[in-house]
């Protein structure tokens, strides 16, 4: 069962142009994400999918594999499919790894292909981590202050996603019940046929309301298996703006490199 990991990377970020090439503690961000992906279990091949030769050249310079994809790709999902097709369309599972998830550990990335290899009934999968109380409190404070970053998820007893939201779900009317809040990790695994089906579908109302692509799958009856993961004491942070680079570098200095 062949697993292709695709790291979509575009140069023209509105808030942070050239973000994939941002220097983080001596290395381009895209190199860090690629190295974490290569080190993950269950990955047979890892590529960076881009429409910019500057990114492609940087990837080749550090020994990675880059695939050129059309500039017309509207999102990472479409770019992942374009990469799959550019490489011959032979992979059975495609893992879409966000190019700005610079602190996502290899064991979190690998949890998705491992789960999909173990259960052939999984059409689509994504990881989530249970928030410790102190993290959840900070998360809620940030949301109350108007931040839109970060997504939570609720799922049924079989770990199938019920809903994803930019708000904090579930609403804790009875916090004494001890119901945890799960933070969604923006990484997806698809069977190749599921990826093709998803890209062919039109955007859906909830997807457009929340600006969350995964809701298109749920609204069209495509189940998403939630894979519970543990960061093992590591901090999670993504790079959305230049100011995030300093925070990520501080975390790396404090906690060490994920991959030597």
């Amino acid at each position: 069962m062949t697993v292709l990991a695709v790291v979509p990377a575009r140069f023209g970020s509105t808030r942070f142009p050239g973000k994939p090439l941002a220097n983080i503690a001596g290395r381009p961000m895209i190199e860090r994400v690629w190295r974490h992906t290569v080190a993950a279990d269950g990955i047979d091949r890892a590529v960076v999918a881009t429409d910019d030769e500057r990114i492609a050249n940087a990837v080749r310079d550090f020994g990675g594999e880059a695939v050129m994809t059309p500039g017309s790709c509207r999102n990472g999902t479409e770019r992942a499919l374009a990469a799959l097709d550019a490489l011959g369309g032979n992979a059975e599972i495609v893992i879409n790894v966000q190019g700005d998830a610079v602190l996502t550990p290899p064991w979190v990335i690998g949890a998705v292909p491992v789960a999909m290899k173990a259960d052939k009934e999984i059409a689509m999968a994504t990881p989530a981590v249970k928030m410790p109380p102190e993290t959840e409190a900070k998360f809620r404070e940030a949301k109350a202050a108007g931040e839109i970053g970060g997504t939570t998820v609720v799922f049924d007893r079989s770990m199938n996603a019920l809903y994803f939201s930019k708000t904090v779900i579930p609403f804790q009317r009875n916090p004494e019940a001890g119901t945890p809040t799960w933070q969604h990790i923006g990484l997806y695994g698809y069977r190749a046929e599921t990826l093709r089906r998803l890209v062919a579908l039109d955007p859906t109302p909830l997807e457009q309301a929340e600006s969350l692509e995964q809701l298109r799958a749920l609204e069209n009856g495509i189940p998403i298996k939630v894979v519970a993961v543990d960061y093992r004491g590591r901090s999670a942070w993504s790079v959305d703006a230049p100011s995030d680079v300093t925070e990520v570098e501080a975390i790396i200095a404090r906690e060490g490199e994920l991959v030597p």
Side-chain angles (χ1 to χ4, degrees):
M1 187 176 296
T2 306
V3 176
L4 171 69
V6 179
V7 184
R10 64 187 185 92
F11 195 90
S13 170
T14 303
R15 287 187 290 174
F16 194 171
K19 181 168 68 170
L21 301 183
N23 186 305
I24 296 180
R27 290 183 181 178
M29 180 170 67
I30 193 63
E31 178 180 356
R32 289 182 171 277
V33 177
W34 182 82
R35 291 189 183 281
H36 298 169
T37 303
V38 170
D41 289 339
I43 303 295
D44 297 306
R45 185 178 185 181
V47 302
V48 174
T50 186
D51 58 358
D52 193 289
E53 287 289 351
R54 289 167 290 186
I55 294 174
N57 289 334
V59 171
R60 295 175 185 126
D61 285 346
F62 64 69
E65 183 178 2
V67 177
M68 296 303 296
T69 50
S72 58
C73 291
R74 295 172 295 179
N75 50 51
T77 308
E78 291 187 5
R79 201 168 298 283
L81 178 57
L84 173 65
D85 288 339
L87 296 171
N90 297 321
E92 298 171 71
I93 296 173
V94 178
I95 307 298
N96 182 347
V97 183
Q98 286 191 346
D100 58 5
V102 69
L103 294 180
T104 303
W107 61 86
V108 170
I109 298 172
V112 173
V114 168
M116 295 185 75
K117 284 184 174 183
D119 184 352
K120 295 183 179 181
E121 296 300 313
I122 298 176
M124 183 173 170
T126 193
V129 61
K130 185 189 298 184
M131 285 187 175
E134 61 275 14
T135 302
E136 181 181 347
K138 291 180 181 179
F139 191 82
R140 288 181 180 276
E141 288 174 6
K143 291 293 185 180
E147 290 191 19
I148 61 172
T151 302
T152 56
V153 59
V154 289
F155 42 83
D156 65 19
R157 291 186 176 186
S158 297
M159 299 295 289
N160 293 310
L162 295 171
Y163 195 67
F164 298 84
S165 183
K166 286 292 185 181
T167 61
V168 184
I169 54 175
F171 175 74
Q172 299 284 2
R173 182 176 181 180
N174 299 304
E176 66 275 8
T179 305
T181 298
W182 288 79
Q183 183 172 2
H184 174 233
I185 309 302
L187 181 155
Y188 303 93
Y190 318 87
R191 302 285 168 190
E193 60 272 19
T194 302
L195 177 58
R196 294 188 187 281
R197 178 186 173 193
L198 190 62
V199 170
L201 292 168
D202 291 329
T204 51
L206 292 175
E207 173 193 358
Q208 293 174 316
E210 294 255 14
S211 193
L212 293 174
E213 290 177 55
Q214 63 269 39
L215 292 175
R216 186 187 309 183
L218 294 185
E219 288 183 84
N220 282 282
I222 299 173
I224 303 176
K225 180 70 71 173
V226 176
V227 181
V229 295
D230 184 350
Y231 266 65
R232 303 177 188 174
R234 301 288 307 209
S235 298
W237 202 280
S238 62
V239 178
D240 298 314
S243 59
D244 291 317
V245 171
T246 302
E247 181 65 31
V248 167
E249 288 182 327
I251 292 171
I252 293 171
R254 183 170 66 248
E255 300 179 2
E257 297 283 0
L258 282 163
V259 175

